[in-house]
Amino acid sequence: MPPPYPSPAFGGGGNSAASSVAPSPATRGRDGEGAPAPKRLTIHGRATVAFDHGRLREVYHTDPLRLLFPTPASSDPPTAVVVTTSGGLVGGDRLEIAASVGEGASALVTAQAAEKVYRSAGEDVRFDVRLAVGDGGWLEWLPQETILFDAARLRRTTSVAVNGSGRLLAGELLVFGRIARGERFTQGLARDAWEVRRDGRLAWADALHLDGDVAALLDHPAGFAGATAYGTILYVGRDAADRLDAARALLEDVAPHAAATVLGEVLVIRLLGKDAQRLRTDFGRVWAGLRKALNDLPERLPRLWHV
C-alpha cells in the first residue's frame, strides 16, 4: 500500500565530490547511430521510515530508493540508511523521503553516499524531504553531499515539523560542480528551500535560489565569493537560544566563511568554502560536536561518511 504521506529524496549513487564521474553517453540517450532518442523514462522514488519507542514502526520504499538498517554504532540511536540505486538523477526525476520519530523515540537517518544531479535539457530534478519529531523525540537527518553537475536543475524542499520537547538536528551540503575534474556549476538551477514548523506553527522558512548565470552569482564578492560548496545545519528545540555560544565556538576552527544565529527555537548554521573537500570535513566536525553537546551522543559521524 502507498505511504500515508509523500516522502522525498536523497540517497546514494556516488561517492564524494572528488570522485564523481559523468554518466555514460549510452544511458538515457540515443538508440543507435542516427536513430531518434526514445522518450526518457523518469523515476519517482519514495521512502518512508518511522521509529517509535525504540523500535521500527514503519518502512516503505520504491525504486530507486532503498532503506537499509545497519547495526548502530555503540551508543548511537537506531539508524536508517537511504540508498539511491539509479546512480544519479536527471531532469524530470523525483525523489521523496519521509522520516519521523514518535514520542520519546530517537533515530539517525543518513545516506550511503553522495547524490549526483546530472545536467538537464530543461526539466528539474525534485527532492521532497519531510521530517517529523514527536514530543520528547530526537531525530538526526544527515545525508551526504549533493553534487550539482554543470547545467543541472535541482528543486529541493525540506519540510520539518517538531512538536513539544522534540528536537531535530538536520543538515545538507551542496557542491557546485565536479570540482576535482575542473568543472563548475556555471548555469542551471539550484533551489534549496527549508520550512520549519513548531507545534503546527511556522517558525522559520528560507530558500537559496540560484538560476540562469549561476557562475556570476557564485563568484560575486557580495554573494558566494567564489565558494564551491555550501552547507546548512539546523537545530530545532526549545533550548536553541542556549546553544548559540556552543555552536559559534565549534565554528572557530572551521571554514572562514561560517556563522550561526538563532531565530526563535531554530538555530541556523551556514558554511561556505572554496575547497569542497575541506568544507565537507568542517561540516562533519561541527556536526559531531553538536550531537555531543546537544544530546551527549558520541562525537563522530556515521561510518558510511568515511567509506
Side-chain angles (χ1 to χ4, degrees), residues 43-228:
I43 61 175
H44 188 174
R46 293 185 175 98
T48 298
V49 59
F51 293 87
D52 197 6
H53 300 296
R55 63 183 179 84
L56 188 62
R57 177 171 56 84
E58 181 181 1
V59 178
Y60 175 91
H61 53 211
T62 63
D63 288 338
L65 291 178
R66 287 288 181 268
L67 289 165
L68 305 178
F69 300 93
T71 301
S74 176
S75 301
D76 269 352
T79 301
V81 176
V82 182
V83 180
T84 305
T85 62
S86 60
L89 302 169
V90 297
D93 289 346
R94 182 172 183 177
L95 296 178
E96 300 178 56
I97 292 177
S100 63
V101 295
E103 291 187 14
S106 62
L108 164 65
V109 182
T110 186
Q112 180 198 34
E115 189 64 271
K116 296 177 291 187
V117 182
Y118 300 129
R119 65 182 297 118
S120 171
E123 292 184 275
D124 300 338
V125 169
R126 294 183 178 270
F127 281 37
D128 295 304
V129 180
R130 301 193 181 194
L131 309 174
V133 186
D135 186 30
W138 167 266
L139 176 61
E140 292 178 81
W141 169 253
L142 183 61
Q144 298 194 47
E145 64 267 40
T146 297
I147 304 167
L148 299 174
F149 285 42
D150 195 22
R153 297 189 62 82
L154 168 69
R155 290 183 180 272
R156 179 167 63 194
T157 301
T158 305
S159 301
V160 173
V162 180
N163 295 307
S165 60
R167 296 180 296 156
L168 170 81
L169 182 61
E172 295 280 4
L173 272 170
L174 279 176
V175 178
F176 302 121
R178 295 179 293 166
I179 307 306
R181 284 176 164 264
E183 176 191 282
R184 293 192 63 196
F185 178 57
T186 63
Q187 59 181 322
L189 171 70
R191 181 173 178 81
D192 196 15
W194 290 82
E195 182 180 280
V196 178
R197 293 185 179 275
R198 289 287 289 119
D199 297 319
R201 293 174 175 255
L202 183 64
W204 182 73
D206 183 75
L208 166 71
H209 189 95
L210 302 174
D211 196 0
D213 184 6
V214 176
L217 298 172
L218 293 178
D219 289 337
H220 198 286
F224 283 73
T228 63

Side-chain angles (χ1 to χ4, degrees), residues 218-271:
L218 293 178
D219 289 337
H220 198 286
F224 283 73
T228 63
Y230 164 81
T232 299
I233 299 175
L234 293 186
Y235 171 64
V236 183
R238 290 174 175 171
D239 60 343
D242 298 331
R243 304 296 187 169
L244 180 59
D245 289 342
R248 288 176 172 170
L250 289 169
L251 298 178
E252 291 179 358
D253 298 324
V254 302
H257 301 293
T261 190
V262 169
L263 299 105
E265 296 182 354
V266 183
L267 169 64
V268 183
I269 299 173
R270 289 273 165 70
L271 304 96

